[in-house]
């Protein structure tokens, strides 16, 4: 399998139709020694059937559209309280809109704002979504982000969900630590200890994963 590490950012279509391997898009050092970006363009992991994908920053629209079996971690986090009443949710979200459209299988872990119109036509797979009430990222806020007509449930983590989150979050932490970003993982260990306190599961009601 192909294993790719990018420091800086990626354009549209990274990981499209992948069947395996790993891709990690991490923040890169600028000329002042500050780590920036780590984001990707549109349609990240479009139709990916296998592999493990990491985005440390944000993702443009239609991330994981038609995701079909791969595992994906979106590490971009909410940096200021949500302002949903202002409208234009996608402009401030970590995923800019239409994420997980027509997703059929696979797992996604989202540490930030998943953006508007998510899960349209989703028929399978599981999204493990962080909740952060202190910044307004609540279950109610998530419901506002789910596309009208989507048939998905938001629920507590079961035993499988706890293990899934631990597995994916641990792998994300290891990638960052192995690439000289230990300071970026310190706050994540609290999430790793008790995922059920910090994440919910979003999936179609018929999903048995």
């Amino acid at each position: 399998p192909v294993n790719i590490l990018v420091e800086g950012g990626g354009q549209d279509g990274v990981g499209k139709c992948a069947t395996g391997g790993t891709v990690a898009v991490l923040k890169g050092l600028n000329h002042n020694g500050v780590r920036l970006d780590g984001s990707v363009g549109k349609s990240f992991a479009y139709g990916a059937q296998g592999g493990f994908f990491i985005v440390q920053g944000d993702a443009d629209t239609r991330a994981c559209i038609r995701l079909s079996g791969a595992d994906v971690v979106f590490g971009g986090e909410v940096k200021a309280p949500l302002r949903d009443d202002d409208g234009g949710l996608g402009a401030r979200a970590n995923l800019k809109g239409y994420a997980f459209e027509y997703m059929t299988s696979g797992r996604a872990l989202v540490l930030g704002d998943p953006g508007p119109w998510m899960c349209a036509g989703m028929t399978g797979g599981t999204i493990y979504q962080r909740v952060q009430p202190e910044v307004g990222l609540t279950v109610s806020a998530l419901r506002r982000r789910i596309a009208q007509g989507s048939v998905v449930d938001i629920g507590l983590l079961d035993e499988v969900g706890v293990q899934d989150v631990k597995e994916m979050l641990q792998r994300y932490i290891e990638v960052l630590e192995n690439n000289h970003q230990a300071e970026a993982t310190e706050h994540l260990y609290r999430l790793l200890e008790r995922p059920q306190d910090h994440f919910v599961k979003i999936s179609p009601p018929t999903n048995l994963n």
Side-chain angles (χ1 to χ4, degrees):
V2 175
N3 299 307
I4 298 172
L5 171 67
V6 176
E7 291 192 336
Q11 298 295 319
D12 296 349
V14 174
K16 184 175 182 179
C17 298
T19 57
T22 62
V23 176
V25 180
L26 307 183
K27 295 180 180 181
L29 290 171
N30 69 4
H31 59 280
N32 292 322
V34 178
R35 288 195 180 272
L36 300 172
D37 198 19
S39 298
V40 294
K42 295 176 175 59
S43 302
F44 181 78
Y46 183 120
Q49 301 169 50
F52 191 86
F53 303 91
I54 286 172
V55 178
Q56 188 180 0
D58 297 339
D60 206 339
T61 55
R62 290 188 161 82
C64 294
I65 181 174
R66 299 192 186 280
L67 190 72
S68 303
D71 290 338
V72 184
V73 176
F74 292 103
E77 298 182 57
V78 176
K79 297 180 175 63
L82 301 186
R83 308 194 313 273
D84 286 6
D85 289 345
D86 292 351
L89 303 186
R92 296 178 300 277
N94 299 106
L95 308 183
K96 300 304 181 185
Y98 305 102
F100 312 110
E101 189 175 35
Y102 304 121
M103 179 174 172
T104 60
S105 63
R107 302 180 297 178
L109 183 71
V110 183
L111 296 182
D113 185 344
W117 316 298
M118 65 184 293
C119 303
M122 179 180 178
T123 58
T126 306
I127 301 160
Y128 295 109
Q129 170 65 53
R130 184 182 181 184
V131 288
Q132 277 185 283
E134 66 273 18
V135 295
L137 190 58
T138 62
V139 170
S140 294
L142 295 177
R143 293 193 192 283
R144 286 193 293 272
R145 284 154 173 74
I146 292 175
Q148 187 173 2
S150 298
V151 184
V152 295
D153 293 334
I154 302 176
L156 301 176
L157 296 193
D158 56 14
E159 189 173 335
V160 171
V162 169
Q163 292 307 310
D164 281 351
V165 172
K166 284 186 174 181
E167 175 192 336
M168 297 174 75
L169 187 57
Q170 181 67 57
R171 195 162 176 186
Y172 176 57
I173 289 171
E174 288 173 359
V175 168
L176 292 182
E177 290 181 345
N178 290 338
N179 287 278
H180 316 292
Q181 292 199 58
E183 73 288 345
T185 69
E186 292 173 0
H187 69 293
L188 298 177
Y189 280 96
R190 181 172 59 90
L191 309 184
L192 193 61
E193 288 173 5
R194 285 185 58 82
Q196 61 269 39
D197 293 344
H198 304 284
F199 291 88
V200 293
K201 172 183 176 180
I202 303 175
S203 61
T206 54
N207 182 20
L208 302 178
N209 289 346

